[in-house]
Amino acid sequence: MATEMGHATLLITAITQHDREALEHTLWQLAEQGELAATLEQLSPDQLRQLADLLGDETLSDILSELEPDEAASVLERLGSAEAADVLEAMAPDDAADVLAQLAPENASQILVAMEPLEAEELKSLLAYPPDSAGGRMTPAFVALSPDIRVDQAIAALRTLAQAAETIYYVYVTDEHGHLLGVVSMRDLVLSPPDRTVGEIMETDIVKVQATADQEEAARLLTSEGLIALPVVDDQNRLLGIITADDVADILEQEVTEDIERLGGSQPLDIPYMKASPILLWRKRVGWLLLLFIAEMYTGTVLRHFQREIEQVVALSFFVPLLIGTGGNAGSQVVTTLVRAMALEKIGLRDIPRIIPKEFATAMLLGAVMALAAFARAEILQVGTVVALTVAIAIWGIVLWAVTVASVLPLVLRRLGIDPAVVSSPFIATLVDGTGLVIYFTVARVMLGLQ
Amino acid sequence: MATEMGHATLLITAITQHDREALEHTLWQLAEQGELAATLEQLSPDQLRQLADLLGDETLSDILSELEPDEAASVLERLGSAEAADVLEAMAPDDAADVLAQLAPENASQILVAMEPLEAEELKSLLAYPPDSAGGRMTPAFVALSPDIRVDQAIAALRTLAQAAETIYYVYVTDEHGHLLGVVSMRDLVLSPPDRTVGEIMETDIVKVQATADQEEAARLLTSEGLIALPVVDDQNRLLGIITADDVADILEQEVTEDIERLGGSQPLDIPYMKASPILLWRKRVGWLLLLFIAEMYTGTVLRHFQREIEQVVALSFFVPLLIGTGGNAGSQVVTTLVRAMALEKIGLRDIPRIIPKEFATAMLLGAVMALAAFARAEILQVGTVVALTVAIAIWGIVLWAVTVASVLPLVLRRLGIDPAVVSSPFIATLVDGTGLVIYFTVARVMLGLQ
């Protein structure tokens, strides 16, 4: 807090001295340190407006683009709709749409009313698609030309359009109704005779994506086809926007974060961790925690069932956490590897006949090592060699069982049409806990001759 | 197997009938189905050589680029070094280097000897850097010009270089010793007066990366700067190659897979799962499994320490897996979320004062819900209300403890310079198991008045 106050004082000094250069420098520095949003919150609405006047819309929109959309939205809310409209107009349309989506609906529509009608229309069309769809990601800042334009005219046109467009490396060719006909790369334009028409040299076998498609599909196409930009069309094949290659890392990052959070046994947060309130964290976690608790309740029933054995040989209970813990760990290793390989589409159902024997062989080796370790541990605890042998045999069986369950389950779920990412580390550990105990006490009954 | 034999028969038929079109069609289809490597293995060296003759080096190199480097390497090994050299020459140099790195050293050098000296030199320089470094990722297929070339000459030069270069959207400007002076985008070339020199219009504030730098740094720069290609230089600032934007997804994918495998409690595999032998899987997993086993051994000591309490109230042992399992699950939820946020550099040490209270508040809420659930479960097992209350209080304490450990530990490790990704779900579960038992039996002693 103390430093944020200090940063705010720096800004206020620059504002009162009308020192534009110092102000801009300080703002960029704060953005780099991740302190910008917190510092801007320290300013009064009046100071914020003076800051906006001093910087100008262009620079302010550049700086706000560095913030998370919700942070930028909270700054705009305090600026007032007229000024907010000017700043949003200066922003890249896809970024502006992300910020607008974070505003309360009444504030957002006030700002849209204050904007130039054309730009407001553009933003509204972007807001019509969910943020994780191709339509929610796209920018309408593409270059589209008619097919009868000549190559030299096209290059001349690019000179005037270069500022406004997100990329000029691809030029899209559309008919008068906006239907996508083809694409010409700047490479092709430069390398073609100047008097040919765009329609003659365009590529008509176009890689494109529907606006309603998942953003992940767009990222995959951009990557696998090695494209710089991907056109987004509606169901009538009308060109709505483009998604550029620099969005790919963002999209992949977001999707992977969701997968990892699921693997840890909670629902994806959907917003950056630092923005999540305890109530939100609680909501995303409590469901799985309760479900796993209910699944784990079975262990109590198993242990009560074997109450007589525990009473006769209390030492058996010493190894319960060790045995089921090792089972859970062995299962977790398999599940994370397989779920990731499935997410990358490196393995699928057809690989089951090769996966199961491979995992089984691995589990035999792992189980043997763990059996030796468990035997040694039991001997150190001085529980007698028969109990030690029981523990060693049980851990081998539990590792084999855990690895088998963990390698079959994700594939079976995929078969049933369920996302295999639900098989988290906690999930497999829970599943193995109760069944592992049954293995353990069954071995104990036989080995110790218990009734 | 049966289908692979069928696929192989299709290929052999096309080869003996000299039907180039059918052959190419079948090969691409197999590549799409992921069956190409397995099918090519069915062919005899003789059939393979006939296939290569029929297709030509260009097409064969295109098709082999679809395979994993080790699969392509095994095909080349069976082709013989002269033919292999021709195919590698036709491949993109960075792909060719990846394939060469998979060959036995004596085979690789035989093939290099059979190649054109210039191309062999190029490959050797790529092989000099580790595969996960910027130098290992780069391609030498860039366009470099001298600063005194005119813009119109540069555009003319691009026409002739367009085929060989990986990208012509950036042209690099170097002096006679290959030192990187500046960069000109094709956008700038097209938009500049034709009689200016490249040296006049070039951007000299160049984003670049050292060849020895981690490939992840290159991916981050490409993304954050929105570049289509990134120049790679040696410690003398000599331009060695470029990394293009379509490598970003590959690099991120690889790094994320490593993180996920670590989170699951094993060492990263470094090769695709389907290529990993049981021995390799065992090697990558057994270390952590043993380490976790040793850490978990502590639970046996704790339970033996509380042997008297267990003997007096055997019902206490029924809840051991449930309590420590819930603690592990709660910890796993926190750890995966935080480790991922740290990998994305969204949180750091300076956020500790905000993370701990947030997680503590979340844990209070989660613990309360779990305490209610645990009380209900204990009552259903009919173990008496005092034991039920003990279990409820203990689970609350264990959830609070697990969440606190899980939120502090990754940050402390980062502080100590250790990669926080070692704090896997199994790791945190293990850590919480022993300490959770101490909490449980301490509560039991007080509640049940045990000595």
Side-chain angles (χ1 to χ4, degrees):
Chain A
M1 276 307 162
T3 54
E4 276 155 23
M5 289 299 290
H7 296 323
T9 314
L10 271 180
L11 287 185
I12 293 165
T13 313
I15 292 168
T16 45
Q17 296 179 345
H18 291 272
D19 187 345
R20 192 180 179 291
E21 207 167 307
L23 180 61
E24 201 178 329
H25 177 76
T26 312
L27 287 170
W28 281 115
Q29 246 182 355
L30 289 173
E32 210 157 285
Q33 295 162 10
E35 302 284 352
L36 183 56
T39 310
L40 287 178
E41 258 172 44
Q42 309 286 316
L43 300 189
S44 71
D46 225 44
Q47 290 166 334
L48 210 54
R49 265 189 298 273
Q50 288 171 33
L51 178 147
D53 284 347
L54 197 55
L55 280 185
D57 300 333
E58 286 288 339
T59 311
L60 184 56
S61 83
D62 281 353
I63 286 170
L64 291 186
S65 299
E66 295 293 305
L67 296 178
E68 297 287 339
D70 63 322
E71 295 170 334
S74 103
V75 174
L76 289 187
E77 258 170 350
R78 294 162 61 232
L79 263 184
S81 10
E83 178 61 33
D86 290 343
V87 174
L88 284 179
E89 282 170 9
M91 241 183 229
D94 48 342
D95 291 341
D98 289 345
V99 175
L100 264 183
Q102 295 291 326
L103 289 166
E106 61 276 19
N107 290 344
S109 46
Q110 271 182 22
I111 294 178
L112 282 169
V113 168
M115 285 177 78
E116 300 287 329
L118 254 171
E119 312 218 10
E121 271 317 303
E122 205 172 76
L123 281 186
K124 275 187 215 155
S125 79
L126 288 179
L127 286 169
Y129 296 98
D132 58 353
S133 69
R137 270 284 168 184
M138 71 189 178
T139 167
F142 55 83
V143 178
L145 298 173
S146 137
D148 45 5
I149 296 240
R150 282 208 324 268
V151 165
D152 54 353
Q153 293 172 322
I155 293 178
L158 283 183
R159 285 178 206 259
T160 62
L161 293 168
Q163 271 311 313
E166 179 91 12
T167 180
I168 57 164
Y169 291 121
Y170 293 138
V171 172
Y172 298 94
V173 185
T174 52
D175 67 16
E176 65 267 40
H177 304 297
H179 296 109
L180 182 59
L181 302 176
V183 61
V184 177
S185 69
M186 189 195 258
R187 180 176 183 145
D188 295 333
L189 280 181
V190 170
L191 303 181
S192 295
D195 55 350
R196 302 281 295 277
T197 69
V198 165
E200 285 167 350
I201 65 163
M202 72 185 178
E203 174 70 60
T204 52
D205 183 17
I206 315 162
V207 182
K208 60 194 172 187
V209 70
Q210 291 282 329
T212 49
D214 196 293
Q215 60 176 354
E216 219 179 333
E217 191 186 329
R220 246 197 289 272
L221 281 173
L222 273 163
T223 305
S224 65
E225 305 287 328
L227 297 172
I228 294 171
L230 179 73
V232 181
V233 295
D234 66 10
D235 50 4
Q236 309 283 318
N237 191 35
R238 276 181 300 223
L239 181 60
L240 302 176
I242 56 171
I243 299 181
T244 50
D246 54 337
D247 287 323
V248 168
D250 270 357
I251 295 173
L252 292 180
E253 211 164 70
Q254 195 176 320
E255 303 285 339
V256 165
T257 301
E258 286 177 16
D259 283 355
I260 289 183
E261 286 171 346
R262 278 200 204 94
L263 274 174
S266 46
Q267 288 177 265
L269 274 181
D270 299 332
I271 61 168
Y273 172 77
M274 288 308 292
K275 311 282 164 207
S277 69
I279 297 289
L280 180 70
L281 288 174
W282 177 81
R283 279 215 335 261
K284 296 292 185 181
R285 292 177 186 170
V286 73
W288 269 111
L289 208 56
L290 266 177
L291 213 67
L292 292 169
F293 180 91
I294 290 164
E296 184 91 33
M297 279 180 6
Y298 177 50
T299 56
T301 313
V302 173
L303 287 171
R304 196 178 56 174
H305 179 74
F306 290 106
Q307 181 165 5
R308 286 259 310 283
E309 284 78 359
I310 299 173
E311 280 166 349
Q312 287 173 27
V313 189
V314 172
L316 284 177
S317 70
F318 301 166
F319 300 96
V320 163
L322 192 57
L323 288 174
I324 63 181
T326 301
N329 294 342
S332 162
Q333 292 181 327
V334 177
V335 134
T336 43
T337 307
L338 288 188
V339 169
R340 177 63 181 158
M342 291 173 79
L344 293 178
E345 303 194 352
K346 302 260 164 151
I347 61 171
L349 284 174
R350 68 193 156 82
D351 297 310
I352 291 189
R354 281 184 285 171
I355 293 171
I356 307 290
K358 187 205 300 239
E359 286 295 346
F360 196 80
T362 310
M364 286 295 289
L365 294 171
L366 282 176
V369 174
M370 301 320 289
L372 283 177
F375 185 81
R377 169 58 179 160
E379 287 291 5
I380 292 169
L381 273 181
Q382 296 178 316
V383 292
T385 301
V386 185
V387 172
L389 272 176
T390 302
V391 173
I393 295 171
I395 208 169
W396 201 334
I398 288 173
V399 168
L400 274 181
W401 168 241
V403 168
T404 309
V405 171
S407 39
V408 173
L409 203 62
L411 294 158
V412 169
L413 287 181
R414 156 79 48 108
R415 175 93 217 201
L416 297 175
I418 300 170
D419 184 350
V422 301
V423 195
S424 57
S425 293
F427 184 92
I428 205 78
T430 301
L431 210 65
V432 168
D433 280 358
T435 45
L437 288 174
V438 174
I439 294 174
Y440 178 36
F441 285 104
T442 307
V443 172
R445 266 194 188 161
V446 175
M447 291 291 295
L448 298 168
L450 301 173
Q451 300 295 324
Chain B
M1 277 308 162
T3 53
E4 275 154 22
M5 290 298 290
H7 296 322
T9 314
L10 271 180
L11 287 185
I12 294 165
T13 313
I15 292 168
T16 45
Q17 297 178 345
H18 291 272
D19 187 345
R20 192 180 180 288
E21 207 167 308
L23 180 61
E24 202 179 330
H25 177 77
T26 312
L27 287 169
W28 282 114
Q29 246 182 355
L30 289 175
E32 210 158 286
Q33 296 161 11
E35 303 284 353
L36 183 55
T39 310
L40 287 178
E41 257 172 46
Q42 309 287 318
L43 300 189
S44 71
D46 225 44
Q47 289 166 333
L48 210 54
R49 265 189 299 273
Q50 289 172 32
L51 177 147
D53 284 347
L54 199 53
L55 279 184
D57 302 332
E58 286 288 340
T59 311
L60 183 56
S61 84
D62 281 353
I63 286 170
L64 291 186
S65 299
E66 296 292 306
L67 296 179
E68 297 288 339
D70 63 321
E71 295 170 336
S74 103
V75 174
L76 289 187
E77 258 170 350
R78 294 162 61 231
L79 262 183
S81 9
E83 178 62 31
D86 291 343
V87 174
L88 283 179
E89 281 170 8
M91 240 183 229
D94 48 342
D95 290 342
D98 289 345
V99 175
L100 263 182
Q102 296 292 327
L103 289 166
E106 62 277 16
N107 290 346
S109 46
Q110 270 182 22
I111 293 178
L112 280 168
V113 167
M115 286 177 75
E116 301 286 330
L118 254 170
E119 310 218 8
E121 272 317 304
E122 205 172 77
L123 281 186
K124 276 188 215 155
S125 78
L126 288 179
L127 285 169
Y129 296 97
D132 57 354
S133 70
R137 270 284 168 185
M138 70 188 179
T139 166
F142 54 84
V143 178
L145 298 173
S146 136
D148 46 5
I149 297 240
R150 282 208 324 268
V151 165
D152 55 352
Q153 293 172 321
I155 293 178
L158 284 182
R159 285 176 206 260
T160 62
L161 292 168
Q163 270 311 312
E166 179 91 13
T167 179
I168 57 165
Y169 291 121
Y170 293 139
V171 172
Y172 297 94
V173 185
T174 54
D175 66 16
E176 65 269 40
H177 304 297
H179 296 108
L180 181 60
L181 302 176
V183 61
V184 177
S185 68
M186 189 195 258
R187 179 175 183 146
D188 295 333
L189 280 180
V190 170
L191 303 181
S192 294
D195 56 348
R196 303 279 296 277
T197 70
V198 164
E200 286 167 350
I201 65 163
M202 71 184 179
E203 173 71 59
T204 54
D205 183 16
I206 315 162
V207 183
K208 60 194 171 188
V209 72
Q210 291 283 327
T212 50
D214 196 294
Q215 60 176 357
E216 218 179 334
E217 191 187 327
R220 247 197 288 274
L221 281 172
L222 274 163
T223 306
S224 65
E225 306 287 330
L227 298 171
I228 294 170
L230 178 72
V232 181
V233 295
D234 66 10
D235 50 5
Q236 310 283 318
N237 191 36
R238 277 181 301 225
L239 182 60
L240 302 176
I242 56 171
I243 299 181
T244 49
D246 55 336
D247 287 323
V248 169
D250 270 356
I251 295 174
L252 292 180
E253 213 164 69
Q254 194 177 321
E255 303 285 340
V256 165
T257 301
E258 286 177 17
D259 283 355
I260 288 182
E261 286 171 345
R262 279 202 203 92
L263 274 173
S266 47
Q267 286 177 267
L269 274 181
D270 301 330
I271 62 167
Y273 172 78
M274 288 309 291
K275 311 283 164 206
S277 69
I279 297 287
L280 180 69
L281 288 174
W282 176 80
R283 280 213 337 258
K284 296 291 185 182
R285 291 177 186 170
V286 73
W288 270 110
L289 208 56
L290 266 178
L291 214 66
L292 293 168
F293 180 89
I294 290 166
E296 184 91 33
M297 279 181 7
Y298 177 49
T299 55
T301 314
V302 173
L303 287 170
R304 196 178 57 173
H305 180 75
F306 290 106
Q307 179 166 5
R308 287 259 309 284
E309 284 79 357
I310 298 174
E311 280 165 350
Q312 286 173 9
V313 189
V314 171
L316 284 177
S317 70
F318 300 166
F319 301 96
V320 164
L322 191 57
L323 288 174
I324 63 181
T326 301
N329 294 342
S332 164
Q333 292 181 328
V334 177
V335 135
T336 42
T337 307
L338 288 188
V339 169
R340 177 63 182 158
M342 290 174 80
L344 294 177
E345 302 193 356
K346 302 263 164 153
I347 62 171
L349 284 174
R350 66 192 159 82
D351 297 311
I352 290 188
R354 281 185 284 174
I355 293 171
I356 307 290
K358 188 204 304 235
E359 285 296 345
F360 196 80
T362 311
M364 286 295 289
L365 294 171
L366 282 176
V369 174
M370 301 321 291
L372 283 176
F375 185 81
R377 170 58 179 156
E379 288 290 7
I380 292 167
L381 272 181
Q382 296 178 315
V383 291
T385 301
V386 185
V387 172
L389 272 177
T390 303
V391 173
I393 295 171
I395 207 169
W396 200 332
I398 288 172
V399 168
L400 272 181
W401 168 242
V403 168
T404 309
V405 171
S407 42
V408 173
L409 203 62
L411 294 157
V412 169
L413 287 181
R414 156 80 48 106
R415 175 93 217 200
L416 297 175
I418 301 169
D419 184 349
V422 301
V423 195
S424 56
S425 293
F427 184 93
I428 206 78
T430 301
L431 211 63
V432 168
D433 280 358
T435 45
L437 289 174
V438 175
I439 294 175
Y440 177 36
F441 285 105
T442 307
V443 173
R445 265 193 188 162
V446 175
M447 291 291 294
L448 299 168
L450 300 173
Q451 300 296 320

